[in-house]
Amino acid sequence: MLKRTDDTDTAEMTAGAALFTRLKALGVDYVFCNSGTDFPPIIEGLAEAAAKDVDLPEALVIPHEHAAVSMAHGYYFATGKAQAVILHTNVGLANGAIGAINAATDHVPMILMSGRTPVMEKHRFGARTVPIAWGQEMRDQTALVREASKWDYELRFPEQVGEVLDRAIAITNSTPKGPVYLSLPREVLCENVPAEGLEKPAIMQPSINGPDAASIELAARWLAEAQNPLIIGQRGAGHQAGFEALARLADDWSIPVSQWWACSNIIASDHPSNVGWALDPFISKADVILVVNCLAPWSPDIHHAHPDAKVIHLGPDPLFSRFPVRNFRSDLTIACETGDGLVALKEAMHGRLHRHVGQRMRRRKELAGEVEKIREKLTRQEAPGHPMTKAHVARVLSKAIEGKRAQVVNELGCPLDNMTIREHNGWRQEPHSGGLGWGLPCALGMQIADRDRLVVATMGDGSYMFANPVVCHQIAEALELPLLVVVLNNSEWGAVRQSVLGLYPDGYAAKANRMPLTSLQPSPDFTKVAAGSRHYAVRVEQADDLPQAFADAIRHIEEKRSLALVEVIIG
Ligand SMILES: Cc1ncc(C[n+]2csc(CCOP(=O)(O)OP(=O)(O)O)c2C)c(N)n1
Ligand SMILES: [Mg+2]
């Protein structure tokens, strides 16, 4: 029981309520929850806090764990603030594990927690009462997410709550950021702790790595002296100042910026240095390559970096130490928050601008020619046809949201190259862990943070189904989140088909009438899934109808402030 008498310092609360009180003091706005029999002390604590007007983070009911973790991911994208997730014992944690893997790969901080089934079988408050308390016990529950966690712990005593959370949030927010996991045994949460001190500021601050000045100087020298430098970016520029610094640097020095397999845009679509997905022909003639926070900057099996090229890796974990095999050459490795590194590099290069003028002028002309060729090819891809292509849908969607303060989240939906995105991180894609079903709930998390923004979630039909769409529509209705959802329906897992064709272009599978293990036919009527939660939904088959369909959906969102789904049939 939460015993709280506000005017005495002997006030007490359950450890479950203390946990929320501490999270509030640490700046957590939301706790994304999927509850179970491990939650009574938490639920009792929340109800009592509400009755007594104690200010806590908002606890949200999220009917699937993958959605809960992905929403915390999205909320961090929109705000830069780590949030908390509490799941139900081992089973809830198992459902959330894919979200933890995605967050770890994307360097997204969060405090992930789940209950631990009671240790005691009797004679202690909170001890086991139902058979699942035996069935859900594991020898090592944390093993489910340990590889995705920077730090983990199991709460032993209730009075630890405050300091353990301080440590958890400091570690999750330290360079490189990433999720931490805390296991919460039920008996411990049921015990009372003193309320005193829970509102105080954190006892420790995260450690943030700044760029090493000598390394930045060396990188600046190499890039300035290079004949054909190349920049590759896959996870954005870190922050707005970093985005502006990179744009300036690339323009001043006429350096192509590739966004091959990017998860966040690093440069404006119409910037003269943006070569989008293309790595060729730039990579084979580059003598200096700056890799900005890329897990896999190119594919050594497909692209051929010049053997004498100097390669610089810059980012929060430039060698990606969590991954066993990743053998990209790195002649200079700069560990720092990406944005700070880019700002420092731009400054260091600025002083050298008076030199190398001829080289820069030559590159400016050559780059303009290459960019023009790339844009011409894209325009051809974007032509309307029947059935429509992803490239066409992306171009039409891009025009429909132009000037509307939009934020796009993509999961096998609309490609970056076929859209015009000028804002930093204006376009996001699933992390390279590729745990699908991430995009739609990530967009919901972003929309909670900014309800007036036009948040657009675009995805394939397979990705929509991976996202537990009934759950996501329920959340959008319950929390009044007015997303624009665009489902590109080809009735298959097209990426799996492409991967088969890549390995066996002339094989049996390529010639089969229906390729095994790729078809999603018969396709459900997705508009009815959306209608199940009273959302606006429309299906489009003809290219001619698409611009109006997007315009109507956006008008619905602007007027009714509720979710609109556009299902587009593509080839
Ligand atoms: C959780 C999970 N399961 C399976 C996969 C393997 N996978 C990668 S792409 C893909 C197909 C996605 O289909 P869809 O969203 O319809 O896009 P399409 O490829 O058809 O354009 C699958 C199944 C995955 N990445 N994640
Ligand atoms: Mg598909």
Side-chain angles (χ1 to χ4, degrees):
M1 286 285 286
L2 180 119
K3 286 185 276 163
R4 189 179 171 121
T5 51
D6 284 331
D7 44 4
T8 76
D9 54 11
T10 54
E12 289 197 337
M13 59 175 73
T14 63
L19 184 122
F20 273 74
T21 310
R22 192 66 195 143
L23 287 173
K24 184 76 193 178
L26 298 175
V28 171
D29 303 320
Y30 290 98
V31 185
F32 300 92
C33 300
N34 192 292
S35 54
T37 45
D38 43 353
F39 273 59
I42 292 176
I43 293 174
E44 178 63 11
L46 288 176
E48 197 163 355
K52 295 182 175 173
D53 249 354
V54 179
D55 197 17
L56 297 182
E58 209 170 315
L60 298 178
V61 176
I62 307 298
H64 194 284
E65 295 83 353
H66 188 10
V69 184
S70 304
M71 285 176 77
H73 199 136
Y75 191 87
Y76 169 75
F77 273 176
T79 61
K81 290 172 79 179
Q83 300 301 297
V85 178
I86 310 185
L87 308 177
H88 172 54
T89 65
N90 62 338
V91 288
L93 187 61
N95 266 350
I98 179 173
I101 292 169
N102 283 338
T105 307
D106 238 0
H107 293 146
V108 166
M110 65 179 67
I111 303 182
L112 177 59
M113 293 171 269
S114 73
R116 190 224 186 270
T117 198
V119 178
M120 300 304 290
E121 295 178 283
K122 57 183 183 294
H123 300 331
R124 182 178 275 276
F125 187 60
R128 301 180 184 191
T129 46
V130 285
I132 57 158
W134 281 264
Q136 292 180 343
E137 181 157 47
M138 289 182 82
R139 292 189 293 272
D140 187 3
Q141 172 168 302
T142 303
L144 291 167
V145 292
R146 185 173 285 117
E147 284 221 30
S149 308
K150 285 176 71 183
W151 168 93
D152 62 76
Y153 187 65
E154 181 168 299
L155 201 62
R156 308 286 156 79
F157 299 102
E159 61 271 29
Q160 285 181 294
V161 161
E163 289 186 351
V164 161
L165 287 176
D166 284 21
R167 183 158 166 74
I169 201 138
I171 291 176
T172 200
N173 281 324
S174 291
T175 315
K177 297 180 170 104
V180 294
Y181 171 68
L182 180 63
S183 151
L184 306 167
R186 183 164 93 155
E187 300 98 315
V188 181
L189 289 186
C190 285
E191 286 190 46
N192 276 2
V193 291
E196 201 199 343
L198 288 170
E199 285 97 358
K200 287 193 180 154
I203 60 165
M204 66 183 91
Q205 293 301 317
S207 110
I208 306 294
N209 290 4
D212 165 58
S215 302
I216 289 290
E217 259 319 294
L218 186 58
R221 180 156 71 77
W222 286 357
L223 282 165
E225 289 173 1
Q227 292 295 321
N228 294 303
L230 168 65
I231 298 175
I232 307 171
Q234 290 175 334
R235 293 145 167 257
H239 48 53
Q240 184 60 31
F243 186 69
E244 287 165 18
L246 180 83
R248 184 67 196 274
L249 183 159
D251 196 27
D252 282 348
W253 293 86
S254 288
I255 305 178
V257 178
S258 164
Q259 307 193 79
W260 186 68
W261 219 289
C263 303
S264 298
N265 61 312
I266 195 168
I267 196 159
S269 302
D270 47 8
H271 188 289
S273 286
N274 176 34
V275 300
W277 184 270
L279 275 168
D280 288 319
F282 312 100
I283 191 163
S284 50
K285 57 177 186 186
D287 49 352
V288 176
I289 303 175
L290 171 66
V291 174
V292 183
N293 198 14
C294 302
L295 173 61
W298 62 85
S299 168
D301 207 34
I302 304 171
H303 308 109
H304 302 287
H306 196 281
D308 298 331
K310 288 200 186 88
V311 185
I312 306 161
H313 289 252
L314 179 151
D317 181 15
L319 295 183
F320 290 83
S321 48
R322 213 164 61 73
F323 296 89
V325 175
R326 181 190 178 276
N327 299 329
F328 293 94
R329 182 183 180 89
S330 186
D331 302 282
L332 179 58
T333 309
I334 309 177
C336 62
E337 289 296 332
T338 306
D340 299 346
L342 291 174
V343 169
L345 188 61
K346 188 217 95 184
E347 290 302 318
M349 289 188 72
H350 193 73
R352 298 166 194 271
L353 265 175
H354 60 284
R355 285 178 258 168
H356 318 290
V357 179
Q359 229 158 272
R360 285 185 358 240
M361 292 302 114
R362 170 192 52 86
R363 284 206 301 263
R364 182 166 293 269
K365 220 171 136 221
E366 284 173 13
L367 182 56
E370 294 293 351
V371 167
E372 202 180 305
K373 277 194 251 166
I374 291 168
R375 300 257 153 98
E376 275 165 12
K377 198 167 151 200
L378 289 171
T379 307
R380 283 198 297 278
Q381 281 177 7
E382 289 161 5
H386 189 78
M388 284 176 265
T389 60
K390 286 188 183 186
H392 175 70
V393 179
R395 179 50 62 201
V396 177
L397 175 64
S398 186
K399 281 195 188 128
I401 63 176
E402 180 126 31
K404 294 209 175 277
R405 213 168 69 82
Q407 165 70 58
V408 180
V409 180
N410 176 49
E411 194 172 61
L412 291 127
C414 293
L416 176 59
D417 277 7
N418 304 107
M419 304 193 77
T420 302
I421 307 281
R422 297 191 181 94
E423 265 183 74
H424 180 227
N425 289 336
W427 180 95
R428 301 277 199 169
Q429 180 165 289
E430 80 279 359
H432 288 161
S433 43
L436 296 185
W438 165 93
L440 182 48
C442 174
L444 290 168
M446 292 179 125
Q447 185 86 78
I448 291 182
D450 187 350
R451 287 165 179 276
D452 297 327
R453 193 150 195 194
L454 178 61
V455 178
V456 185
T458 125
M459 70 211 80
D461 52 327
S463 298
Y464 181 65
M465 287 195 264
F466 276 119
N468 302 298
V470 171
V471 166
C472 290
H473 285 286
Q474 193 277 340
I475 297 166
E477 187 179 27
L479 303 181
E480 299 177 22
L481 300 173
L483 290 190
L484 173 59
V485 179
V486 181
V487 180
L488 276 64
N489 187 356
N490 53 10
S491 304
E492 66 165 5
W493 290 331
V496 180
R497 167 197 291 279
Q498 289 308 323
S499 147
V500 175
L501 295 178
L503 281 187
Y504 304 103
D506 306 311
Y508 289 99
K511 289 178 200 131
N513 281 336
R514 185 186 273 201
M515 187 184 280
L517 301 186
T518 55
S519 170
L520 292 177
Q521 284 174 352
S523 185
D525 185 342
F526 294 128
T527 63
K528 294 219 165 70
V529 179
S533 283
R534 293 152 286 277
H535 286 141
Y536 175 99
V538 61
R539 176 184 244 240
V540 184
E541 300 194 21
Q542 305 295 335
D544 286 348
D545 300 333
L546 194 58
Q548 194 57 46
F550 284 142
D552 291 346
I554 292 169
R555 185 157 22 82
H556 166 88
I557 288 168
E558 286 170 351
E559 287 171 6
K560 302 279 165 40
R561 306 310 298 156
S562 90
L563 185 148
L565 177 139
V566 180
E567 179 188 352
V568 188
I569 306 304
I570 60 162

